[in-house]
Amino acid sequence: MTDLSAHPDQQVFHEHRRLLFSVAYRLLGTAADAEDAIQDAWIKWSAADRSQVADPKAYLTRIVSNLALERLRSTRHKRETYVGPWLPEPILTGGDASDAVTAAESVSMAMLVVLETLSPLERAVFVLKEVFDFSHAEIAEAVERSEVAVRQAAHRAREHVRARRPRFPADRARQRQATERFLAAATGGDVNALLELLSPDVTLWTDGGGKVRQALRPVLGAATAASWFAAIGTVTYQGVTPADMKAELVEINGGPGILISGPGRVLATVTFDFDADGRITAIHNVANPDKLQAVADGTAYDIATQ
């Protein structure tokens, strides 16, 4: 293994790598694209005249933000033609940052879905301002726009997110308890127990990307969603029999989630959105194998914002 201390420039980059991933992932919604952006940022950092860099953290954040913006613009068409609902690529999370409500909320599946509805510029401005607390002047430099344009984009993005993502008191213990009960009810085929946990107007989003069989439209209502999950323990899925399936509670995107796996592979992740009473209002089920690599790798990402 290379000794980073022998290479000061590598050490500086390594010190900020976690932050760069945190920014890139929130901007792009996929771990693979975020890692690619970080690799490209390393290349630009290596080629730069670093003697002129007064603030490496700000400089690297600017590089990765611009790279993520470019990538976001180029992938928008691909997402518009996606088969079925598009959901972000889930990641395993951990560390002390998982206890920080703001950090966890900003990387939740529900928030990333809302961010997907913003323009690339609005998304970048919102993430840098609301999540990482950069000033408007710092963001203007990072995204190469005027400060006035950044303030306007920040206002539009904030109003847009507020309208689509009402905030509820985050009770992590209650969320975990509900997730544990959901896991027990689903694996036991207990429809009634599932109905008790679900809001009547719950929405189930399933992302198979055309690679595996999933619902191509959102599944609406508690009865339908409960029936969907109660069948987990009784049907063969992607060639894996119920006896060979394993479902476990893990932390995904800053909150409790369920990881479903078969022999040698991850089959799906399930995460939830809750109302103020702890009932499940939305379920995000990612089964597209192309989006499960980060989870399958077993890496737990630190999603801290500092």
Side-chain angles (χ1 to χ4, degrees):
M1 188 172 177
T2 304
D3 180 8
L4 288 172
S5 62
H7 305 276
D9 295 330
Q10 286 188 24
Q11 187 174 18
V12 168
F13 189 88
H14 183 72
E15 284 171 3
H16 298 297
R17 195 183 193 287
R18 178 197 52 73
L19 174 67
L20 298 182
F21 179 86
S22 285
V23 171
Y25 178 72
R26 286 171 172 88
L27 288 181
L28 293 165
T30 89
D33 285 346
E35 293 289 1
D36 286 346
I38 290 172
Q39 281 299 111
D40 291 345
W42 165 248
I43 293 169
K44 284 183 175 288
W45 170 253
S46 301
D49 180 0
R50 292 177 296 279
S51 65
Q52 302 300 309
V53 177
D55 185 347
K57 177 183 173 183
Y59 183 84
L60 287 167
T61 302
R62 184 166 73 245
I63 289 176
V64 88
S65 297
N66 264 309
L67 288 166
L69 263 175
E70 290 172 18
R71 193 173 289 267
L72 197 56
R73 292 186 182 109
S74 68
T75 58
R76 279 181 83 80
H77 174 68
K78 190 185 298 182
R79 294 183 187 179
E80 286 166 4
T81 57
Y82 194 78
V83 178
W86 183 95
L87 292 176
E89 182 182 336
I91 56 173
L92 300 174
T93 52
D96 294 339
S98 65
D99 294 327
V101 173
T102 301
E105 161 70 10
S106 68
V107 81
S108 69
M109 279 280 168
M111 177 59 85
L112 291 176
V113 167
V114 173
L115 292 181
E116 189 67 19
T117 63
L118 299 174
S119 73
L121 177 63
E122 288 169 349
R123 184 170 185 165
V125 170
F126 181 87
V127 167
L128 293 174
K129 183 75 181 78
E130 301 298 323
V131 181
F132 293 94
D133 201 27
F134 281 76
S135 69
H136 290 112
E138 288 171 324
I139 297 169
E141 189 176 355
V143 300
E144 299 175 348
R145 295 290 194 283
S146 70
E147 193 170 334
V148 171
V150 163
R151 286 182 182 276
Q152 290 173 342
H155 177 74
R156 288 194 306 270
R158 196 161 46 244
E159 292 301 306
H160 183 98
V161 171
R162 189 176 293 149
R164 288 162 177 77
R165 182 75 184 136
R167 298 294 300 273
F168 296 110
D171 184 338
R172 291 181 63 82
R174 180 182 283 181
Q175 290 181 14
R176 184 177 178 85
Q177 183 184 51
T179 305
E180 289 172 343
R181 288 173 61 199
F182 185 97
L183 175 59
T187 52
D190 190 339
V191 174
N192 289 331
L194 287 169
L195 286 172
E196 288 178 10
L197 294 166
L198 301 175
S199 171
D201 57 355
V202 65
T203 303
L204 163 62
W205 304 85
T206 65
D207 180 343
K211 304 293 177 72
V212 297
R213 212 180 92 193
Q214 291 285 302
L216 296 179
R217 290 183 177 82
V219 175
L220 305 175
T224 314
S227 298
W228 176 286
F229 281 99
I232 282 180
T234 61
V235 297
T236 296
Y237 179 69
Q238 294 186 41
V240 181
T241 64
D244 289 330
M245 256 185 236
K246 178 185 176 186
E248 58 186 311
L249 189 73
V250 296
E251 185 178 300
I252 301 174
N253 287 73
I258 296 170
L259 179 65
I260 303 172
S261 55
R265 62 188 171 121
V266 172
L267 299 174
T269 61
V270 183
T271 53
F272 307 94
D273 208 12
F274 301 89
D275 64 16
D277 297 321
R279 286 194 303 180
I280 295 168
T281 56
I283 306 169
H284 301 99
N285 179 20
V286 179
N288 182 346
D290 294 345
K291 292 187 175 182
L292 296 172
Q293 192 57 53
V295 171
D297 288 346
T299 302
Y301 291 91
D302 183 344
I303 52 157
T305 57
Q306 298 298 321

